[in-house]
Amino acid sequence: MTSSDSSTSAGPRLLGPADVRSLAASLGVRPTKQRGQNFVIDPNTVRRIVRAADLTEGETVLEVGPGLGSLTLALLAEGHRVTAVEIDPLLAQALPSTVASYAPHQADRLTVVEADAMDVTPAEIGEPTACVANLPYNVAVPVLLHLLRVSDSLRHGLVMVQSEVADRLAAGPGSRTYGIPSAKAAWYADVRRAGPIGRNVFWPAPNVDSGLVAFERREPPVTEASREEVFAVIEAAFSQRRKTIRSALARWMPDRARLDEVLSAAGIDPRVRGEMLGITEFAALAGAGRTV
């Protein structure tokens, strides 16, 4: 579907394959693996993503890696404000003119932040209430965790990531794919898989499958430990997956007698593996580590 197939009167036109390639050619842009760039070329896919994000009227949406603007235009088409964080200077500078051309009546609702999403600050992004993005696959997990950490206003979202990463983010204790990303994400939010995305909706088509991940912010577990202390326990617990939690935490707490007291205080069986523990248990362990 190209721009000529889209309505020119009902609102913003969305980008089809010809539009994406034409914009890329005019800018001299070639997608790079280094930045995990795969541009969405299917209007129906971006419409589906916006619908699945379950946004309410008047939300300010944080988009990371807008690229040429496919998803940006779909978000603007539904009346949302968009703060787009783009690391590529050329793409960041071109996005406003693309929106002005394809969605002239929505252009004033777009804010572009030229920055690395891995270290973007609250001062740069303001107070978005939702995150909807096609995250660069090579940094999807650290970017999402960083955004959840620095933006207290971020209440929910829907992000597209590599299918394997989607599995890891949404996995629960005991799952084969449960690990550090799962546990850390669970500190901030309830996370779930929200559907697959085919390879042929991208240019260039990636050699991996993609998936949608939805998250809903909630309060972290009650603990006397800081987030950093809880995350240190998580990292130690998964450093040796096949070992018991008592063995895996030996580096975190070399004093075995004290470690046994901490496990007991937290109500954790020392014989279980870390992959069986949820975020509440990790928080309890970190808290006990401060008080025992």
Side-chain angles (χ1 to χ4, degrees):
M1 181 177 181
T2 65
S3 62
S4 60
D5 298 314
S6 305
S7 169
T8 57
S9 59
R13 294 179 290 135
L14 302 184
L15 303 182
D19 299 293
V20 171
R21 290 185 172 88
S22 175
L23 282 169
S26 68
L27 295 170
V29 169
R30 293 191 63 83
T32 68
K33 288 185 177 180
Q34 180 184 1
R35 288 184 173 165
Q37 291 173 323
N38 297 93
F39 300 131
V40 180
I41 58 175
D42 178 49
N44 287 328
T45 296
V46 291
R47 289 191 189 100
R48 173 191 163 197
I49 291 170
V50 174
R51 284 197 305 270
D54 197 23
L55 301 167
T56 57
E57 187 177 352
E59 290 210 60
T60 298
V61 181
L62 180 65
E63 183 187 4
V64 173
L68 294 168
S70 297
L71 181 56
T72 313
L73 287 167
L75 288 163
L76 291 171
E78 294 300 317
H80 305 294
R81 292 188 173 276
V82 177
T83 299
V85 178
E86 176 57 65
I87 190 174
D88 187 311
L90 184 61
L91 294 174
Q93 292 159 23
L95 186 58
S97 61
T98 299
V99 169
S101 175
Y102 282 78
H105 300 297
Q106 284 75 30
D108 64 339
R109 294 205 301 269
L110 172 69
T111 300
V112 178
V113 178
E114 185 182 322
D116 185 346
M118 291 277 283
D119 54 28
V120 73
T121 66
E124 292 173 298
I125 61 175
E127 296 186 345
T129 53
C131 177
V132 182
N134 172 20
L135 292 180
Y137 286 3
N138 51 348
V139 291
V141 171
V143 163
L144 182 59
L145 293 176
H146 173 71
L147 294 176
L148 286 167
R149 179 174 66 84
V150 301
S151 181
D152 292 336
S153 64
L154 207 56
R155 306 313 304 169
H156 69 124
L158 184 79
V159 294
M160 180 158 48
V161 296
Q162 186 177 334
S163 185
E164 179 183 326
V165 173
D167 287 338
R168 290 205 296 269
L169 281 168
S175 165
R176 180 179 56 84
T177 52
Y178 182 65
I180 292 175
S182 328
K184 287 185 175 180
W187 170 265
Y188 300 104
D190 292 316
V191 184
R192 61 178 175 82
R193 281 292 302 253
I197 297 289
R199 301 184 187 190
N200 62 348
V201 305
F202 297 98
W203 174 70
N207 57 7
V208 294
D209 293 322
S210 305
L212 297 173
V213 172
F215 67 87
E216 194 80 30
R217 172 88 73 166
R218 58 172 169 71
E219 290 300 314
V222 176
T223 176
E224 295 188 29
S226 67
R227 176 187 54 81
E228 291 84 0
E229 289 169 329
V230 175
F231 281 13
V233 174
I234 291 170
E235 289 164 6
F238 286 102
S239 63
Q240 302 178 76
R241 286 186 70 106
R242 301 187 65 83
K243 293 195 173 184
T244 66
I245 191 67
R246 184 177 186 270
S247 296
L249 293 183
R251 289 184 181 178
W252 172 68
M253 187 167 288
D255 184 335
R256 287 303 184 96
R258 185 175 171 223
L259 177 56
D260 287 339
E261 291 180 14
V262 167
L263 288 164
S264 177
I268 305 298
D269 184 340
R271 297 166 296 180
V272 304
R273 293 178 179 176
E275 64 200 56
M276 302 305 295
L277 304 180
I279 188 61
T280 302
E281 286 79 20
F282 287 124
L285 277 167
R290 294 194 68 180
T291 58
V292 171

